[in-house]
Structure formats: structure tokens, C-alpha cells
PDB file of all heavy atoms in Angstrom:
ATOM      1  N   ASP A   1     -20.744  17.432   8.916  1.00  0.00           N
ATOM      2  CA  ASP A   1     -19.693  17.590   9.992  1.00  0.00           C
ATOM      3  C   ASP A   1     -20.141  16.826  11.213  1.00  0.00           C
ATOM      4  O   ASP A   1     -21.292  17.052  11.706  1.00  0.00           O
ATOM      5  CB  ASP A   1     -19.538  19.077  10.276  1.00  0.00           C
ATOM      6  CG  ASP A   1     -18.986  19.785   9.041  1.00  0.00           C
ATOM      7  OD1 ASP A   1     -18.647  19.233   8.057  1.00  0.00           O
ATOM      8  OD2 ASP A   1     -19.198  21.039   9.050  1.00  0.00           O
ATOM      9  N   PHE A   2     -19.233  15.969  11.673  1.00  0.00           N
ATOM     10  CA  PHE A   2     -19.673  15.240  12.865  1.00  0.00           C
ATOM     11  C   PHE A   2     -18.376  14.980  13.788  1.00  0.00           C
ATOM     12  O   PHE A   2     -17.220  15.035  13.266  1.00  0.00           O
ATOM     13  CB  PHE A   2     -20.276  13.860  12.661  1.00  0.00           C
ATOM     14  CG  PHE A   2     -19.532  12.904  11.809  1.00  0.00           C
ATOM     15  CD1 PHE A   2     -18.927  11.783  12.526  1.00  0.00           C
ATOM     16  CD2 PHE A   2     -19.235  13.008  10.493  1.00  0.00           C
ATOM     17  CE1 PHE A   2     -18.167  10.861  11.807  1.00  0.00           C
ATOM     18  CE2 PHE A   2     -18.527  12.070   9.833  1.00  0.00           C
ATOM     19  CZ  PHE A   2     -17.933  11.005  10.459  1.00  0.00           C
ATOM     20  N   SER A   3     -18.664  14.481  14.960  1.00  0.00           N
ATOM     21  CA  SER A   3     -17.551  14.254  15.961  1.00  0.00           C
ATOM     22  C   SER A   3     -17.876  12.860  16.555  1.00  0.00           C
ATOM     23  O   SER A   3     -18.900  12.352  16.678  1.00  0.00           O
ATOM     24  CB  SER A   3     -17.478  15.241  17.026  1.00  0.00           C
ATOM     25  OG  SER A   3     -17.333  16.658  16.529  1.00  0.00           O
ATOM     26  N   VAL A   4     -16.680  12.171  16.939  1.00  0.00           N
ATOM     27  CA  VAL A   4     -16.825  10.871  17.466  1.00  0.00           C
ATOM     28  C   VAL A   4     -16.133  10.875  18.893  1.00  0.00           C
ATOM     29  O   VAL A   4     -14.886  11.319  18.908  1.00  0.00           O
ATOM     30  CB  VAL A   4     -16.104   9.810  16.523  1.00  0.00           C
ATOM     31  CG1 VAL A   4     -16.174   8.415  17.122  1.00  0.00           C
ATOM     32  CG2 VAL A   4     -16.806   9.894  15.221  1.00  0.00           C
ATOM     33  N   LEU A   5     -16.742  10.397  19.863  1.00  0.00           N
ATOM     34  CA  LEU A   5     -16.159  10.236  21.106  1.00  0.00           C
ATOM     35  C   LEU A   5     -15.791   8.749  21.371  1.00  0.00           C
ATOM     36  O   LEU A   5     -16.763   7.854  21.319  1.00  0.00           O
ATOM     37  CB  LEU A   5     -17.109  10.784  22.304  1.00  0.00           C
ATOM     38  CG  LEU A   5     -17.528  12.138  22.165  1.00  0.00           C
ATOM     39  CD1 LEU A   5     -18.596  12.615  23.303  1.00  0.00           C
ATOM     40  CD2 LEU A   5     -16.438  13.189  22.132  1.00  0.00           C
ATOM     41  N   TRP A   6     -14.600   8.559  21.691  1.00  0.00           N
ATOM     42  CA  TRP A   6     -14.160   7.063  21.913  1.00  0.00           C
ATOM     43  C   TRP A   6     -13.106   7.032  23.120  1.00  0.00           C
ATOM     44  O   TRP A   6     -12.586   7.971  23.454  1.00  0.00           O
ATOM     45  CB  TRP A   6     -13.619   6.562  20.596  1.00  0.00           C
ATOM     46  CG  TRP A   6     -12.317   7.252  20.166  1.00  0.00           C
ATOM     47  CD1 TRP A   6     -12.249   8.463  19.426  1.00  0.00           C
ATOM     48  CD2 TRP A   6     -11.019   6.880  20.436  1.00  0.00           C
ATOM     49  NE1 TRP A   6     -10.924   8.756  19.295  1.00  0.00           N
ATOM     50  CE2 TRP A   6     -10.176   7.757  19.859  1.00  0.00           C
ATOM     51  CE3 TRP A   6     -10.359   5.768  21.037  1.00  0.00           C
ATOM     52  CZ2 TRP A   6      -8.740   7.745  19.874  1.00  0.00           C
ATOM     53  CZ3 TRP A   6      -9.029   5.603  21.075  1.00  0.00           C
ATOM     54  CH2 TRP A   6      -8.227   6.651  20.434  1.00  0.00           C
ATOM     55  N   LYS A   7     -12.982   5.758  23.421  1.00  0.00           N
ATOM     56  CA  LYS A   7     -11.901   5.436  24.652  1.00  0.00           C
ATOM     57  C   LYS A   7     -11.512   3.980  24.342  1.00  0.00           C
ATOM     58  O   LYS A   7     -12.125   3.218  23.514  1.00  0.00           O
ATOM     59  CB  LYS A   7     -12.570   5.703  25.937  1.00  0.00           C
ATOM     60  CG  LYS A   7     -13.789   4.788  26.145  1.00  0.00           C
ATOM     61  CD  LYS A   7     -14.337   5.028  27.566  1.00  0.00           C
ATOM     62  CE  LYS A   7     -13.362   4.568  28.647  1.00  0.00           C
ATOM     63  NZ  LYS A   7     -14.002   4.632  29.901  1.00  0.00           N
ATOM     64  N   VAL A   8     -10.530   3.718  25.158  1.00  0.00           N
ATOM     65  CA  VAL A   8     -10.108   2.262  25.066  1.00  0.00           C
ATOM     66  C   VAL A   8     -11.025   1.387  25.789  1.00  0.00           C
ATOM     67  O   VAL A   8     -11.563   1.691  26.924  1.00  0.00           O
ATOM     68  CB  VAL A   8      -8.634   2.147  25.664  1.00  0.00           C
ATOM     69  CG1 VAL A   8      -8.124   0.749  25.590  1.00  0.00           C
ATOM     70  CG2 VAL A   8      -7.645   2.997  24.961  1.00  0.00           C
ATOM     71  N   LYS A   9     -11.338   0.197  25.192  1.00  0.00           N
ATOM     72  CA  LYS A   9     -12.422  -0.575  25.794  1.00  0.00           C
ATOM     73  C   LYS A   9     -11.788  -1.258  27.023  1.00  0.00           C
ATOM     74  O   LYS A   9     -10.630  -1.696  27.010  1.00  0.00           O
ATOM     75  CB  LYS A   9     -12.776  -1.725  24.755  1.00  0.00           C
ATOM     76  CG  LYS A   9     -13.930  -2.661  25.251  1.00  0.00           C
ATOM     77  CD  LYS A   9     -14.191  -3.694  24.162  1.00  0.00           C
ATOM     78  CE  LYS A   9     -14.808  -3.057  22.970  1.00  0.00           C
ATOM     79  NZ  LYS A   9     -15.263  -4.185  22.057  1.00  0.00           N
ATOM     80  N   PRO A  10     -12.482  -1.210  28.085  1.00  0.00           N
ATOM     81  CA  PRO A  10     -11.949  -1.898  29.337  1.00  0.00           C
ATOM     82  C   PRO A  10     -11.505  -3.345  29.072  1.00  0.00           C
ATOM     83  O   PRO A  10     -12.152  -4.165  28.367  1.00  0.00           O
ATOM     84  CB  PRO A  10     -13.176  -1.927  30.296  1.00  0.00           C
ATOM     85  CG  PRO A  10     -13.996  -0.693  29.752  1.00  0.00           C
ATOM     86  CD  PRO A  10     -13.826  -0.714  28.340  1.00  0.00           C
ATOM     87  N   ASN A  11     -10.383  -3.696  29.743  1.00  0.00           N
ATOM     88  CA  ASN A  11      -9.731  -4.993  29.627  1.00  0.00           C
ATOM     89  C   ASN A  11      -9.334  -5.461  28.256  1.00  0.00           C
ATOM     90  O   ASN A  11      -9.080  -6.556  27.981  1.00  0.00           O
ATOM     91  CB  ASN A  11     -10.671  -6.114  30.197  1.00  0.00           C
ATOM     92  CG  ASN A  11     -11.166  -5.882  31.599  1.00  0.00           C
ATOM     93  OD1 ASN A  11     -10.351  -5.389  32.433  1.00  0.00           O
ATOM     94  ND2 ASN A  11     -12.406  -6.148  31.943  1.00  0.00           N
ATOM     95  N   HIS A  12      -9.051  -4.376  27.434  1.00  0.00           N
ATOM     96  CA  HIS A  12      -8.597  -4.686  26.011  1.00  0.00           C
ATOM     97  C   HIS A  12      -7.493  -3.629  25.701  1.00  0.00           C
ATOM     98  O   HIS A  12      -7.301  -3.321  24.583  1.00  0.00           O
ATOM     99  CB  HIS A  12      -9.839  -4.481  25.021  1.00  0.00           C
ATOM    100  CG  HIS A  12     -10.762  -5.562  25.068  1.00  0.00           C
ATOM    101  ND1 HIS A  12     -11.731  -5.708  26.048  1.00  0.00           N
ATOM    102  CD2 HIS A  12     -10.938  -6.569  24.262  1.00  0.00           C
ATOM    103  CE1 HIS A  12     -12.576  -6.731  25.802  1.00  0.00           C
ATOM    104  NE2 HIS A  12     -12.070  -7.382  24.705  1.00  0.00           N
ATOM    105  N   VAL A  13      -6.692  -3.294  26.613  1.00  0.00           N
ATOM    106  CA  VAL A  13      -5.642  -2.253  26.457  1.00  0.00           C
ATOM    107  C   VAL A  13      -4.580  -3.055  25.548  1.00  0.00           C
ATOM    108  O   VAL A  13      -3.958  -2.292  24.703  1.00  0.00           O
ATOM    109  CB  VAL A  13      -5.022  -1.917  27.746  1.00  0.00           C
ATOM    110  CG1 VAL A  13      -3.906  -0.922  27.487  1.00  0.00           C
ATOM    111  CG2 VAL A  13      -6.116  -1.238  28.629  1.00  0.00           C
ATOM    112  N   GLY A  14      -4.386  -4.392  25.776  1.00  0.00           N
ATOM    113  CA  GLY A  14      -3.352  -5.108  24.939  1.00  0.00           C
ATOM    114  C   GLY A  14      -3.758  -4.995  23.409  1.00  0.00           C
ATOM    115  O   GLY A  14      -2.856  -4.806  22.638  1.00  0.00           O
ATOM    116  N   ASP A  15      -5.040  -5.255  23.139  1.00  0.00           N
ATOM    117  CA  ASP A  15      -5.507  -5.157  21.822  1.00  0.00           C
ATOM    118  C   ASP A  15      -5.183  -3.671  21.233  1.00  0.00           C
ATOM    119  O   ASP A  15      -4.912  -3.562  20.176  1.00  0.00           O
ATOM    120  CB  ASP A  15      -6.919  -5.497  21.704  1.00  0.00           C
ATOM    121  CG  ASP A  15      -7.274  -6.984  22.055  1.00  0.00           C
ATOM    122  OD1 ASP A  15      -6.223  -7.674  22.025  1.00  0.00           O
ATOM    123  OD2 ASP A  15      -8.348  -7.243  22.495  1.00  0.00           O
ATOM    124  N   PHE A  16      -5.479  -2.732  22.102  1.00  0.00           N
ATOM    125  CA  PHE A  16      -5.398  -1.310  21.569  1.00  0.00           C
ATOM    126  C   PHE A  16      -3.909  -1.021  21.292  1.00  0.00           C
ATOM    127  O   PHE A  16      -3.558  -0.319  20.252  1.00  0.00           O
ATOM    128  CB  PHE A  16      -5.860  -0.404  22.633  1.00  0.00           C
ATOM    129  CG  PHE A  16      -5.627   1.063  22.453  1.00  0.00           C
ATOM    130  CD1 PHE A  16      -6.372   1.700  21.490  1.00  0.00           C
ATOM    131  CD2 PHE A  16      -4.574   1.767  23.069  1.00  0.00           C
ATOM    132  CE1 PHE A  16      -6.194   3.148  21.288  1.00  0.00           C
ATOM    133  CE2 PHE A  16      -4.426   3.038  22.807  1.00  0.00           C
ATOM    134  CZ  PHE A  16      -5.160   3.711  21.918  1.00  0.00           C
ATOM    135  N   LEU A  17      -2.986  -1.584  22.017  1.00  0.00           N
ATOM    136  CA  LEU A  17      -1.571  -1.295  21.737  1.00  0.00           C
ATOM    137  C   LEU A  17      -0.982  -2.067  20.678  1.00  0.00           C
ATOM    138  O   LEU A  17      -0.064  -1.564  19.991  1.00  0.00           O
ATOM    139  CB  LEU A  17      -0.799  -1.528  23.024  1.00  0.00           C
ATOM    140  CG  LEU A  17      -1.105  -0.564  24.272  1.00  0.00           C
ATOM    141  CD1 LEU A  17      -0.321  -1.063  25.487  1.00  0.00           C
ATOM    142  CD2 LEU A  17      -0.799   0.876  23.938  1.00  0.00           C
ATOM    143  N   PHE A  18      -1.435  -3.303  20.501  1.00  0.00           N
ATOM    144  CA  PHE A  18      -0.622  -4.158  19.599  1.00  0.00           C
ATOM    145  C   PHE A  18      -1.311  -4.553  18.392  1.00  0.00           C
ATOM    146  O   PHE A  18      -0.646  -5.078  17.425  1.00  0.00           O
ATOM    147  CB  PHE A  18      -0.273  -5.440  20.339  1.00  0.00           C
ATOM    148  CG  PHE A  18       0.606  -5.192  21.607  1.00  0.00           C
ATOM    149  CD1 PHE A  18       0.011  -5.427  22.805  1.00  0.00           C
ATOM    150  CD2 PHE A  18       1.783  -4.592  21.582  1.00  0.00           C
ATOM    151  CE1 PHE A  18       0.705  -5.296  24.000  1.00  0.00           C
ATOM    152  CE2 PHE A  18       2.452  -4.233  22.666  1.00  0.00           C
ATOM    153  CZ  PHE A  18       1.951  -4.518  23.908  1.00  0.00           C
ATOM    154  N   ASN A  19      -2.694  -4.485  18.312  1.00  0.00           N
ATOM    155  CA  ASN A  19      -3.386  -4.916  17.047  1.00  0.00           C
ATOM    156  C   ASN A  19      -3.627  -3.804  16.088  1.00  0.00           C
ATOM    157  O   ASN A  19      -3.791  -4.117  14.845  1.00  0.00           O
ATOM    158  CB  ASN A  19      -4.808  -5.394  17.471  1.00  0.00           C
ATOM    159  CG  ASN A  19      -4.746  -6.680  18.294  1.00  0.00           C
ATOM    160  OD1 ASN A  19      -3.677  -7.380  18.357  1.00  0.00           O
ATOM    161  ND2 ASN A  19      -5.928  -7.112  18.861  1.00  0.00           N
ATOM    162  N   VAL A  20      -3.497  -2.596  16.393  1.00  0.00           N
ATOM    163  CA  VAL A  20      -3.621  -1.433  15.516  1.00  0.00           C
ATOM    164  C   VAL A  20      -2.373  -0.521  15.687  1.00  0.00           C
ATOM    165  O   VAL A  20      -1.997  -0.133  16.771  1.00  0.00           O
ATOM    166  CB  VAL A  20      -4.931  -0.646  15.824  1.00  0.00           C
ATOM    167  CG1 VAL A  20      -5.064   0.573  14.949  1.00  0.00           C
ATOM    168  CG2 VAL A  20      -6.202  -1.455  15.690  1.00  0.00           C
ATOM    169  N   GLN A  21      -1.879  -0.235  14.597  1.00  0.00           N
ATOM    170  CA  GLN A  21      -0.576   0.580  14.627  1.00  0.00           C
ATOM    171  C   GLN A  21      -0.834   2.039  14.907  1.00  0.00           C
ATOM    172  O   GLN A  21      -0.186   2.664  15.784  1.00  0.00           O
ATOM    173  CB  GLN A  21       0.085   0.525  13.242  1.00  0.00           C
ATOM    174  CG  GLN A  21       1.432   1.292  13.224  1.00  0.00           C
ATOM    175  CD  GLN A  21       2.177   1.041  12.009  1.00  0.00           C
ATOM    176  OE1 GLN A  21       1.638   0.361  11.022  1.00  0.00           O
ATOM    177  NE2 GLN A  21       3.502   1.542  11.813  1.00  0.00           N
ATOM    178  N   ALA A  22      -1.947   2.651  14.314  1.00  0.00           N
ATOM    179  CA  ALA A  22      -2.372   4.120  14.641  1.00  0.00           C
ATOM    180  C   ALA A  22      -3.770   4.061  14.950  1.00  0.00           C
ATOM    181  O   ALA A  22      -4.614   4.303  14.127  1.00  0.00           O
ATOM    182  CB  ALA A  22      -2.052   4.925  13.262  1.00  0.00           C
ATOM    183  N   PRO A  23      -4.097   3.943  16.356  1.00  0.00           N
ATOM    184  CA  PRO A  23      -5.414   3.801  16.787  1.00  0.00           C
ATOM    185  C   PRO A  23      -6.286   5.061  16.351  1.00  0.00           C
ATOM    186  O   PRO A  23      -7.355   4.910  15.832  1.00  0.00           O
ATOM    187  CB  PRO A  23      -5.349   3.683  18.252  1.00  0.00           C
ATOM    188  CG  PRO A  23      -4.004   3.292  18.330  1.00  0.00           C
ATOM    189  CD  PRO A  23      -3.115   3.843  17.321  1.00  0.00           C
ATOM    190  N   GLU A  24      -5.771   6.329  16.557  1.00  0.00           N
ATOM    191  CA  GLU A  24      -6.622   7.467  16.257  1.00  0.00           C
ATOM    192  C   GLU A  24      -6.971   7.565  14.771  1.00  0.00           C
ATOM    193  O   GLU A  24      -8.056   7.841  14.276  1.00  0.00           O
ATOM    194  CB  GLU A  24      -5.814   8.747  16.609  1.00  0.00           C
ATOM    195  CG  GLU A  24      -6.666   9.999  16.516  1.00  0.00           C
ATOM    196  CD  GLU A  24      -5.995  11.202  17.113  1.00  0.00           C
ATOM    197  OE1 GLU A  24      -4.943  10.974  17.833  1.00  0.00           O
ATOM    198  OE2 GLU A  24      -6.503  12.313  16.914  1.00  0.00           O
ATOM    199  N   GLY A  25      -5.878   7.337  13.932  1.00  0.00           N
ATOM    200  CA  GLY A  25      -6.162   7.382  12.442  1.00  0.00           C
ATOM    201  C   GLY A  25      -7.154   6.268  12.057  1.00  0.00           C
ATOM    202  O   GLY A  25      -8.017   6.412  11.060  1.00  0.00           O
ATOM    203  N   THR A  26      -7.052   5.110  12.672  1.00  0.00           N
ATOM    204  CA  THR A  26      -8.002   3.977  12.377  1.00  0.00           C
ATOM    205  C   THR A  26      -9.440   4.416  12.751  1.00  0.00           C
ATOM    206  O   THR A  26     -10.333   4.100  11.971  1.00  0.00           O
ATOM    207  CB  THR A  26      -7.512   2.667  12.999  1.00  0.00           C
ATOM    208  OG1 THR A  26      -6.227   2.381  12.643  1.00  0.00           O
ATOM    209  CG2 THR A  26      -8.457   1.609  12.671  1.00  0.00           C
ATOM    210  N   VAL A  27      -9.541   5.018  13.873  1.00  0.00           N
ATOM    211  CA  VAL A  27     -10.971   5.359  14.359  1.00  0.00           C
ATOM    212  C   VAL A  27     -11.472   6.392  13.335  1.00  0.00           C
ATOM    213  O   VAL A  27     -12.660   6.332  12.950  1.00  0.00           O
ATOM    214  CB  VAL A  27     -10.846   5.844  15.795  1.00  0.00           C
ATOM    215  CG1 VAL A  27     -12.216   6.381  16.204  1.00  0.00           C
ATOM    216  CG2 VAL A  27     -10.530   4.768  16.729  1.00  0.00           C
ATOM    217  N   LYS A  28     -10.643   7.386  12.914  1.00  0.00           N
ATOM    218  CA  LYS A  28     -11.127   8.357  12.113  1.00  0.00           C
ATOM    219  C   LYS A  28     -11.612   7.770  10.685  1.00  0.00           C
ATOM    220  O   LYS A  28     -12.637   8.076  10.173  1.00  0.00           O
ATOM    221  CB  LYS A  28     -10.127   9.415  11.915  1.00  0.00           C
ATOM    222  CG  LYS A  28     -10.504  10.631  11.023  1.00  0.00           C
ATOM    223  CD  LYS A  28      -9.475  11.722  10.998  1.00  0.00           C
ATOM    224  CE  LYS A  28      -9.926  12.954  10.223  1.00  0.00           C
ATOM    225  NZ  LYS A  28      -8.891  14.026  10.191  1.00  0.00           N
ATOM    226  N   ALA A  29     -10.784   6.878  10.192  1.00  0.00           N
ATOM    227  CA  ALA A  29     -11.022   6.260   8.866  1.00  0.00           C
ATOM    228  C   ALA A  29     -12.376   5.391   8.854  1.00  0.00           C
ATOM    229  O   ALA A  29     -13.210   5.457   8.096  1.00  0.00           O
ATOM    230  CB  ALA A  29      -9.885   5.405   8.360  1.00  0.00           C
ATOM    231  N   VAL A  30     -12.412   4.733  10.018  1.00  0.00           N
ATOM    232  CA  VAL A  30     -13.714   3.864  10.200  1.00  0.00           C
ATOM    233  C   VAL A  30     -14.925   4.736  10.314  1.00  0.00           C
ATOM    234  O   VAL A  30     -15.990   4.436   9.796  1.00  0.00           O
ATOM    235  CB  VAL A  30     -13.473   2.856  11.435  1.00  0.00           C
ATOM    236  CG1 VAL A  30     -14.854   2.200  11.769  1.00  0.00           C
ATOM    237  CG2 VAL A  30     -12.416   1.935  11.199  1.00  0.00           C
ATOM    238  N   ALA A  31     -14.693   5.846  11.064  1.00  0.00           N
ATOM    239  CA  ALA A  31     -15.923   6.743  11.236  1.00  0.00           C
ATOM    240  C   ALA A  31     -16.364   7.315   9.991  1.00  0.00           C
ATOM    241  O   ALA A  31     -17.550   7.339   9.687  1.00  0.00           O
ATOM    242  CB  ALA A  31     -15.577   7.814  12.279  1.00  0.00           C
ATOM    243  N   GLU A  32     -15.369   7.861   9.130  1.00  0.00           N
ATOM    244  CA  GLU A  32     -15.780   8.404   7.869  1.00  0.00           C
ATOM    245  C   GLU A  32     -16.387   7.426   7.019  1.00  0.00           C
ATOM    246  O   GLU A  32     -17.464   7.663   6.267  1.00  0.00           O
ATOM    247  CB  GLU A  32     -14.543   8.936   7.154  1.00  0.00           C
ATOM    248  CG  GLU A  32     -14.827   9.745   5.944  1.00  0.00           C
ATOM    249  CD  GLU A  32     -13.576  10.401   5.377  1.00  0.00           C
ATOM    250  OE1 GLU A  32     -12.600  10.474   6.144  1.00  0.00           O
ATOM    251  OE2 GLU A  32     -13.680  10.859   4.162  1.00  0.00           O
ATOM    252  N   SER A  33     -15.868   6.227   6.939  1.00  0.00           N
ATOM    253  CA  SER A  33     -16.425   5.157   6.148  1.00  0.00           C
ATOM    254  C   SER A  33     -17.933   4.698   6.578  1.00  0.00           C
ATOM    255  O   SER A  33     -18.747   4.589   5.740  1.00  0.00           O
ATOM    256  CB  SER A  33     -15.496   3.878   6.144  1.00  0.00           C
ATOM    257  OG  SER A  33     -16.046   2.751   5.357  1.00  0.00           O
ATOM    258  N   ALA A  34     -18.094   4.689   7.887  1.00  0.00           N
ATOM    259  CA  ALA A  34     -19.450   4.228   8.443  1.00  0.00           C
ATOM    260  C   ALA A  34     -20.387   5.369   8.058  1.00  0.00           C
ATOM    261  O   ALA A  34     -21.632   5.046   7.642  1.00  0.00           O
ATOM    262  CB  ALA A  34     -19.396   3.989   9.852  1.00  0.00           C
ATOM    263  N   MET A  35     -20.073   6.667   8.165  1.00  0.00           N
ATOM    264  CA  MET A  35     -20.894   7.755   7.863  1.00  0.00           C
ATOM    265  C   MET A  35     -21.282   7.863   6.442  1.00  0.00           C
ATOM    266  O   MET A  35     -22.507   7.944   6.049  1.00  0.00           O
ATOM    267  CB  MET A  35     -20.284   9.070   8.370  1.00  0.00           C
ATOM    268  CG  MET A  35     -21.186  10.124   8.210  1.00  0.00           C
ATOM    269  SD  MET A  35     -22.664  10.223   8.964  1.00  0.00           S
ATOM    270  CE  MET A  35     -22.041  10.605  10.691  1.00  0.00           C
ATOM    271  N   ARG A  36     -20.244   7.573   5.579  1.00  0.00           N
ATOM    272  CA  ARG A  36     -20.621   7.494   4.127  1.00  0.00           C
ATOM    273  C   ARG A  36     -21.537   6.334   3.796  1.00  0.00           C
ATOM    274  O   ARG A  36     -22.478   6.548   2.976  1.00  0.00           O
ATOM    275  CB  ARG A  36     -19.320   7.470   3.284  1.00  0.00           C
ATOM    276  CG  ARG A  36     -18.443   8.581   3.323  1.00  0.00           C
ATOM    277  CD  ARG A  36     -17.263   8.473   2.497  1.00  0.00           C
ATOM    278  NE  ARG A  36     -16.351   9.629   2.616  1.00  0.00           N
ATOM    279  CZ  ARG A  36     -16.521  10.840   1.968  1.00  0.00           C
ATOM    280  NH1 ARG A  36     -17.692  10.930   1.129  1.00  0.00           N
ATOM    281  NH2 ARG A  36     -15.726  11.932   2.177  1.00  0.00           N
ATOM    282  N   GLU A  37     -21.448   5.287   4.479  1.00  0.00           N
ATOM    283  CA  GLU A  37     -22.371   4.169   4.123  1.00  0.00           C
ATOM    284  C   GLU A  37     -23.793   4.455   4.623  1.00  0.00           C
ATOM    285  O   GLU A  37     -24.673   4.250   3.857  1.00  0.00           O
ATOM    286  CB  GLU A  37     -21.823   2.992   4.897  1.00  0.00           C
ATOM    287  CG  GLU A  37     -22.639   1.661   4.648  1.00  0.00           C
ATOM    288  CD  GLU A  37     -22.138   0.476   5.412  1.00  0.00           C
ATOM    289  OE1 GLU A  37     -21.020   0.526   5.956  1.00  0.00           O
ATOM    290  OE2 GLU A  37     -22.843  -0.518   5.384  1.00  0.00           O
ATOM    291  N   VAL A  38     -23.764   5.015   5.828  1.00  0.00           N
ATOM    292  CA  VAL A  38     -25.243   5.337   6.362  1.00  0.00           C
ATOM    293  C   VAL A  38     -25.861   6.433   5.489  1.00  0.00           C
ATOM    294  O   VAL A  38     -27.027   6.381   5.165  1.00  0.00           O
ATOM    295  CB  VAL A  38     -25.096   5.676   7.827  1.00  0.00           C
ATOM    296  CG1 VAL A  38     -26.567   6.165   8.323  1.00  0.00           C
ATOM    297  CG2 VAL A  38     -24.714   4.571   8.709  1.00  0.00           C
ATOM    298  N   ILE A  39     -25.125   7.465   5.145  1.00  0.00           N
ATOM    299  CA  ILE A  39     -25.592   8.518   4.289  1.00  0.00           C
ATOM    300  C   ILE A  39     -26.020   8.071   2.944  1.00  0.00           C
ATOM    301  O   ILE A  39     -27.002   8.455   2.325  1.00  0.00           O
ATOM    302  CB  ILE A  39     -24.610   9.690   4.209  1.00  0.00           C
ATOM    303  CG1 ILE A  39     -24.438  10.338   5.530  1.00  0.00           C
ATOM    304  CG2 ILE A  39     -25.111  10.793   3.170  1.00  0.00           C
ATOM    305  CD1 ILE A  39     -25.671  11.033   6.171  1.00  0.00           C
TER     306      ILE A  39
END
């Protein structure tokens, strides 16, 4: 069980809005994948 703290990268708000359709879901999927790889 783990938690991830994240925010929008400074000067990259445009990438946050237009490059990823669902940012929160993307961050969660990437976090779970990275944790499984490290474990």
C-alpha cells in the first residue's frame, strides 16, 4: 500500500492539459506499473 504526491510541472501546464486525456488515471497507472517493476 503506497501513496503518490504529484503536481503539475512548472511551465508545462500546456502539456498537462493537451498531451494526456486523464492525468490522474495516468499517474495512478504509471505508479502501479513502476511499483510492480521495482518489487
Side-chain angles (χ1 to χ4, degrees):
D1 297 346
F2 66 102
S3 301
V4 178
L5 302 179
W6 64 278
K7 61 181 292 186
V8 179
K9 186 180 294 187
N11 302 323
H12 289 77
V13 182
D15 296 339
F16 175 76
L17 292 175
F18 305 115
N19 290 350
V20 180
Q21 185 175 4
E24 185 172 354
T26 301
V27 173
K28 185 174 183 178
V30 171
E32 185 175 348
S33 175
M35 181 61 74
R36 291 186 182 277
E37 179 179 353
V38 173
I39 294 297

